[in-house]
Amino acid sequence: MNDAQILVLCALADGPLHGYAINTAIEAIAGKRLGPGSLYGALTRLEAKGLVEALDGTGRQHPVKLTAAGREVLEAELRAMAKIAAVGLRNLRVEPA
């Protein structure tokens, strides 16, 4: 799973969002926005894997929500990342924030 997919899943962990709102949440999390190709490419791949699903929307806004499988995958990925971060910080002799 790549960074864009993890960021999208993190944004959706708080509830369904449409594309612009996902990018706004990602900006709050990571301090950067994804380009349209990265954002919608990640959404397409995540939906194909059954990790997110589209909801009925109005107009151009099509909200997406995290599935139960998506929640499980996100938790596993974040736990693995936390373990890697802890080892890296320990090796650098830096205290975690």
Side-chain angles (χ1 to χ4, degrees):
M1 186 162 303
N2 66 33
D3 292 346
Q5 292 175 23
I6 294 292
L7 288 169
V8 168
L9 291 176
C10 283
L12 293 173
D14 199 32
L17 298 169
H18 57 79
Y20 182 83
I22 292 170
N23 228 353
T24 300
I26 288 171
E27 187 173 26
I29 294 166
K32 66 177 185 175
R33 295 179 74 80
L34 298 178
S38 295
L39 174 62
Y40 292 103
L43 283 168
T44 298
R45 287 186 294 281
L46 291 168
E47 189 170 14
K49 293 176 184 177
L51 304 180
V52 302
E53 66 180 348
L55 302 173
D56 291 333
T58 58
R60 295 180 56 198
Q61 295 183 346
H62 300 282
V64 178
K65 76 171 193 167
L66 195 60
T67 64
R71 190 168 294 279
E72 290 176 15
V73 167
L74 177 59
E75 181 179 347
E77 290 284 334
L78 292 176
R79 288 187 186 281
M81 291 169 67
K83 183 177 179 182
I84 292 166
V87 169
L89 290 170
R90 184 180 67 238
N91 290 347
L92 288 171
R93 293 166 181 77
V94 175
E95 291 294 318

